[in-house]
Amino acid sequence: MAKLRILKVGDSTLRKVCRPVDTITPRVLTLLDDMAETMRAANGVGLAAPQVGVLRRIVVIEVEEGQLIELINPKIIAYSGEQESEEGCLSVPGRWGITRRPMHVTVRALNRKGETFDITGSGLLAKAFCHELDHLDGKLYIDCALQMLDTE
Ligand code: ZN
């Protein structure tokens, strides 16, 4: 596994729409592993492929230690409720924002074996689904934040 460089806001790659994964190649599996390592090393709870310069619809999330969620070609298929809370991004260091997101989100995606699965998350996980899937369409949470905060 290898730790990858995380692109920062201002890099045009973060603003591009990512293409779906057609075939789950060994390269995709290596990318998933490297993204998980990179996310953990940066103390993040989620990372999207464009953040490491790869314009493919791939996301990793780990809001609870040891419970890694890998999403290939994810789509939100249902959501409900609302939450307003703090949100940050590894590509926007040193800043936080208050966002409004759904409280419950269900995502349909492929796993690393190419099987379709659905996963529902609430609270922080629902927020992470929205945040990371937005990255795949070139959107950052700072675009929709109700308020931005600087750390310190
Ligand atoms: Zn982010």
Side-chain angles (χ1 to χ4, degrees):
M1 296 213 277
K3 216 175 81 156
L4 307 170
R5 192 172 68 90
I6 298 175
L7 303 180
K8 301 295 187 299
V9 62
D11 192 307
S12 62
T13 301
L14 292 173
R15 293 306 190 171
K16 293 187 175 142
V17 175
C18 298
R19 284 181 297 154
V21 173
D22 303 320
T23 313
I24 299 172
T25 58
R27 202 170 156 181
V28 168
L29 301 181
T30 300
L31 177 63
L32 282 165
D33 291 340
D34 290 348
M35 284 172 61
E37 184 180 346
T38 303
M39 170 181 68
R40 287 166 174 158
N43 291 314
V45 297
L47 190 69
Q51 292 181 277
V52 292
V54 179
L55 291 172
R56 289 291 179 172
R57 303 189 82 83
I58 297 173
V59 160
V60 294
I61 291 173
E62 192 174 53
V63 299
E64 276 177 65
E65 207 180 319
Q67 309 241 333
L68 180 66
I69 299 168
E70 298 175 326
L71 303 171
I72 299 168
N73 298 345
K75 280 195 178 95
I76 291 175
I77 56 167
Y79 62 91
S80 63
E82 196 176 276
Q83 57 177 324
E84 259 182 42
S85 59
E86 280 193 3
E87 194 161 324
C89 179
L90 294 175
S91 294
V92 188
R95 302 190 78 195
W96 294 88
I98 305 292
T99 58
R100 187 175 293 144
R101 300 284 197 184
M103 181 56 90
H104 311 281
V105 173
T106 301
V107 170
R108 179 165 294 165
L110 300 177
N111 65 19
R112 59 165 57 220
K113 294 177 190 159
E115 300 158 341
T116 301
F117 70 103
D118 293 350
I119 181 168
T120 300
S122 299
L124 177 58
L125 184 53
K127 181 163 61 175
F129 284 149
C130 295
H131 178 115
E132 302 309 332
L133 269 63
D134 274 353
H135 272 300
L136 305 180
D137 290 318
K139 294 185 215 154
L140 300 176
Y141 83 94
I142 54 174
D143 306 339
C144 67
L146 306 172
Q147 185 192 343
M148 288 300 295
L149 310 158
D150 293 311
T151 45
E152 319 273 299

